[in-house]
Amino acid sequence: MGQDRWKVAPAFTFLLFIVFLLSGTSSAPSERRKLLNYKINQRHICLGCVMMVSIIEQLTQAHKNSTVQEALERLCSYLPGKSNIRKKVRGLSNICSLPLMKELCEKIENVIKNKLPFEDFDGDKFSTFPTLRGYHWRGRDCDDGMASVYPGRRPDNWDAQQDSNCNGIWGIDRKDGIPYEQKLCNGTESEGIVLLGDSAGAHFHIPPEWLTASQISWKVYSDLPETLGNEFDWPQFSQITGFLNSTIGGWTDSIYLRLRKRNRCNHRDYQNISQNGASSKGLWNFISGLARSQKFDKPVIVTYAMVGNDVCNGKADTVAAMTTPEQLHPNMLKSLRYLNSLLPKGSHVILVGLADGTFLWDNMHGGYHPLGQLNKDITYEQVYSFLTCLKVNPCNGWLSSNDTLRNIATERALRLSSILRGIAESEKYASFDLFYMDYPLKEIAEEWRKQGGGNWQLIEPVDGFHQNPKHAQLKLQWECGM
Ligand SMILES: *[C@@H]1O[C@H](CO)[C@@H](O)[C@H](O)[C@H]1NC(C)=O
Ligand SMILES: *[C@@H]1O[C@H](CO)[C@@H](O)[C@H](O)[C@H]1NC(C)=O
Ligand SMILES: *[C@@H]1O[C@H](CO)[C@@H](O)[C@H](O)[C@H]1NC(C)=O
Ligand SMILES: *[C@@H]1O[C@H](CO)[C@@H](O)[C@H](O)[C@H]1NC(C)=O
Ligand SMILES: CC(=O)N[C@H]1CO[C@H](CO)[C@@H](O)[C@@H]1O
């Protein structure tokens, strides 16, 4: 695809950033295209605007007290392309003009909706296209013209003629006339990996360089197109389904890569069905995105990891909006019954408990946000309360200076985790066995301390909320017992 359609302005970035922060609190069901129907309201525009002004201010200072106009010019010159939009931004004198910002947002929405279709020609849910929930999200299709060819399939006729499961193994060994797939894969218990998760699972990340004046340069925005296409998630680097070496810090290691290393027959057999803002309440709406056939496919390991949004929400009465144990229990049973009808026999399902979000406040509130690093003037405590004030705080319970409230959130998280544990202990299913594990935050922090790190380094700097790559890496090591 050409780069032309990506001549976008930074205003979008920040607005979209806000929209995605907000989507961290809603559990609206959405399909590929609906995912891109951003709801933009005055509050987000205002926050986007404040962030813009803040970046411009920093730029005027970092570049020898240049004027706002010069700073804006500079920001524009860092952006790819020479589109009208860029000209428009360049011509902006009143950067807080709400109607104009709104217009810009609508434009990008149209660009994404009309010109960037998800490409899946044979309708098997697997694609040869990376972003927009293509192969960065689930294994790359090796024949997008045939619905019976996709990763994870049990081989047709031992793949003597064609690679029906896209693992790169097919054909017949001339020496003995035995198909390679049969020789190499039969009896090896090859299996795939699926993640049903929230933004932590999808590996949510906004590069802090985008917001930190001293680091802004032309290079900094070069990832922008891909990042937008992936909804600010980086599943290709994530700890469950990651497969590409990271360009956002650290190297990639994932359960998928380990399964693949152990057995090359598992190549490409991964699916991430994660969504920013997902929770047990929304699970039912998107579990149907999972592509697996009891009849035709190999077993899978399914990890259910909704680690925050059952407690986190942006509602004013945040406690009332938290998932209750009485809601969680039937929701989970319904989803598990569905999985039982879908998953091939011999699969595994792992339920991960909720993370304890008091970690966020305890470790972040006094530190400086990237927007405030230049002048040492914006702390996370201020950012959190600003977000609350604008009604876009992704987690009113934990990102709050009210410790009674933070404790209520933690108690609820513990209750919900214990429901998950109880289900894993008592329910039995024919297609899979069921396990529970706590979210190992304490163990991760402990390990990181041993390596000389500080807890705050385990949290995403831009939003002060999500886990970062270091965190994910330590978590994987802990889960894999090394
Ligand atoms: C910018 O101007 C302020 C006051 O006019 C001055 O204190 C500061 O040192 C200047 N910064 C730079 C980078 O020139
Ligand atoms: C595949 O392996 C199973 C057991 O490991 C064996 O019973 C079966 O005969 C094998 N099939 C072929 C076609 O090699
Ligand atoms: C990532 O890079 C490291 C070091 O260059 C290499 O050893 C590793 O195999 C790479 N991993 C992937 C998934 O490409
Ligand atoms: C803190 O939160 C609790 C629980 O929601 C609430 O009852 C209390 O009034 C709050 N305290 C303050 C100072 O806002
Ligand atoms: C390609 C892909 O994985 N698509 C699915 C990912 O998950 C969402 C729900 O979160 C589904 O709507 C997509 O179809």
Side-chain angles (χ1 to χ4, degrees):
M1 51 169 285
Q3 293 294 307
D4 286 2
R5 57 186 64 153
W6 285 113
K7 292 162 184 164
V8 292
F12 302 146
T13 316
F14 305 119
L15 284 164
L16 292 178
F17 159 57
I18 299 319
V19 171
F20 278 99
L21 260 190
L22 183 95
S23 74
T25 67
S26 77
S27 53
S30 38
E31 288 144 26
R32 302 187 289 265
R33 291 188 187 216
K34 280 194 233 139
L35 271 171
L36 300 167
N37 276 334
Y38 310 114
K39 283 202 206 78
I40 291 161
N41 66 31
Q42 298 285 320
R43 293 196 298 267
H44 307 139
I45 292 170
C46 178
L47 182 51
C49 196
V50 168
M51 292 181 78
M52 271 287 278
V53 173
S54 173
I55 289 163
I56 302 279
E57 254 178 0
Q58 290 185 76
L59 274 174
T60 62
Q61 290 176 20
H63 294 277
K64 301 206 185 69
N65 286 339
S66 56
T67 64
V68 166
Q69 189 63 36
E70 284 159 355
L72 205 51
E73 282 276 334
R74 187 178 294 277
L75 193 54
C76 288
S77 71
Y78 296 147
L79 292 168
K82 289 187 190 130
S83 66
N84 288 334
I85 294 171
R86 184 168 146 177
K87 276 189 213 130
K88 231 176 192 175
V89 171
R90 173 165 283 159
L92 268 178
S93 51
N94 176 8
I95 45 179
C96 253
S97 149
L98 297 188
L100 188 55
M101 281 228 173
K102 200 163 177 175
E103 193 191 322
L104 293 176
C105 282
E106 276 162 10
K107 273 202 176 135
I108 197 171
E109 213 181 326
N110 286 335
V111 168
I112 292 177
K113 268 196 307 204
N114 300 333
K115 296 199 185 152
L116 287 174
F118 170 80
E119 287 169 8
D120 171 18
F121 297 111
D122 56 11
D124 60 8
K125 293 187 175 147
F126 294 85
S127 170
T128 59
F129 194 77
T131 56
L132 295 171
R133 303 212 163 234
Y135 68 77
H136 282 172
W137 296 78
R138 66 176 106 204
R140 185 183 199 141
D141 203 345
C142 54
D143 185 344
D144 206 10
M146 269 178 85
S148 59
V149 173
Y150 54 83
R153 195 176 163 93
R154 277 202 306 270
D156 290 337
N157 190 22
W158 294 111
D159 281 2
Q161 280 79 39
Q162 171 180 26
D163 190 6
S164 67
N165 53 21
C166 300
N167 67 0
I169 301 169
W170 63 284
I172 294 173
D173 189 344
R174 290 249 176 93
K175 279 189 231 119
D176 47 20
I178 299 177
Y180 287 114
E181 180 92 28
Q182 180 185 345
K183 244 184 191 178
L184 301 171
C185 301
N186 186 33
T188 64
E189 294 181 12
S190 143
E191 60 192 343
I193 176 97
V194 168
L195 173 66
L196 294 173
D198 51 21
S199 49
H203 205 139
F204 185 91
H205 169 77
I206 296 175
E209 313 81 87
W210 287 7
L211 307 188
T212 314
S214 54
Q215 292 176 28
I216 290 180
S217 69
W218 182 80
K219 180 96 187 51
V220 160
Y221 290 106
S222 60
D223 282 342
L224 184 58
E226 186 163 277
T227 308
L228 289 175
N230 272 340
E231 305 152 38
F232 285 98
D233 291 331
W234 308 69
Q236 68 273 37
F237 310 139
S238 78
Q239 167 230 346
I240 308 268
T241 62
F243 65 98
L244 286 177
N245 252 340
S246 177
T247 56
I248 56 173
W251 69 90
T252 300
D253 191 0
S254 67
I255 295 188
Y256 162 68
L257 283 177
R258 289 181 187 223
L259 283 172
R260 181 183 179 277
K261 194 171 174 195
R262 212 179 277 181
N263 185 347
R264 191 57 178 61
C265 305
N266 296 331
H267 181 53
R268 286 188 182 161
D269 194 358
Y270 60 87
Q271 296 181 50
N272 120 82
I273 318 292
S274 302
Q275 196 174 318
N276 294 332
S279 71
S280 70
K281 289 178 188 164
L283 176 64
W284 184 249
N285 296 317
F286 72 92
I287 201 171
S288 60
L290 202 172
R292 208 73 179 180
S293 152
Q294 205 157 50
K295 191 160 165 214
F296 295 112
D297 300 344
K298 296 191 255 186
V300 273
I301 303 171
V302 176
T303 304
Y304 166 91
M306 305 285 184
V307 305
N309 297 311
D310 283 291
V311 166
C312 286
N313 63 72
K315 300 281 159 55
D317 190 355
T318 186
V319 179
M322 293 173 186
T323 304
T324 63
E326 293 72 27
Q327 289 166 332
L328 180 67
H329 195 265
N331 273 347
M332 286 308 296
L333 292 188
K334 185 174 166 197
S335 298
L336 289 169
R337 268 197 302 276
Y338 174 73
L339 286 178
N340 193 40
S341 71
L342 187 75
L343 300 184
K345 289 231 159 40
S347 294
H348 313 277
V349 175
I350 302 166
L351 306 179
V352 180
L354 282 78
D356 177 2
T358 43
F359 186 90
L360 299 167
W361 176 267
D362 293 349
N363 294 295
M364 302 303 282
H365 77 274
Y368 294 112
H369 187 269
L371 283 175
Q373 269 163 16
L374 186 67
N375 296 323
K376 304 255 169 289
D377 58 355
I378 305 175
T379 62
Y380 282 96
E381 177 166 3
Q382 287 167 314
V383 171
Y384 296 155
S385 71
F386 180 58
L387 294 175
T388 306
C389 173
L390 288 178
K391 301 196 171 64
V392 294
N393 187 327
C395 195
N396 277 341
W398 275 321
L399 304 186
S400 157
S401 58
N402 181 338
D403 57 352
T404 316
L405 191 54
R406 296 201 303 274
N407 290 338
I408 292 175
T410 299
E411 270 166 39
R412 179 62 59 86
L414 288 172
R415 284 281 308 283
L416 296 179
S417 295
S418 77
I419 297 286
L420 294 176
R421 182 197 300 272
I423 289 174
E425 282 167 2
S426 61
E427 301 296 323
K428 296 275 171 281
Y429 296 91
S431 305
F432 55 85
D433 48 16
L434 188 59
F435 306 91
Y436 169 84
M437 64 173 276
D438 281 322
Y439 188 92
L441 191 52
K442 271 204 199 82
E443 291 80 358
I444 292 167
E446 181 56 31
E447 178 57 34
W448 186 227
R449 247 197 313 281
K450 272 194 235 150
Q451 296 181 21
N455 284 347
W456 59 274
Q457 289 163 315
L458 298 170
I459 305 298
E460 274 287 316
V462 170
D463 60 29
F465 178 55
H466 290 96
Q467 62 169 16
N468 69 9
K470 185 77 225 167
H471 183 139
Q473 188 192 333
L474 291 165
K475 179 160 174 278
L476 179 71
Q477 283 173 8
W478 187 85
E479 282 164 2
C480 296
M482 57 156 291

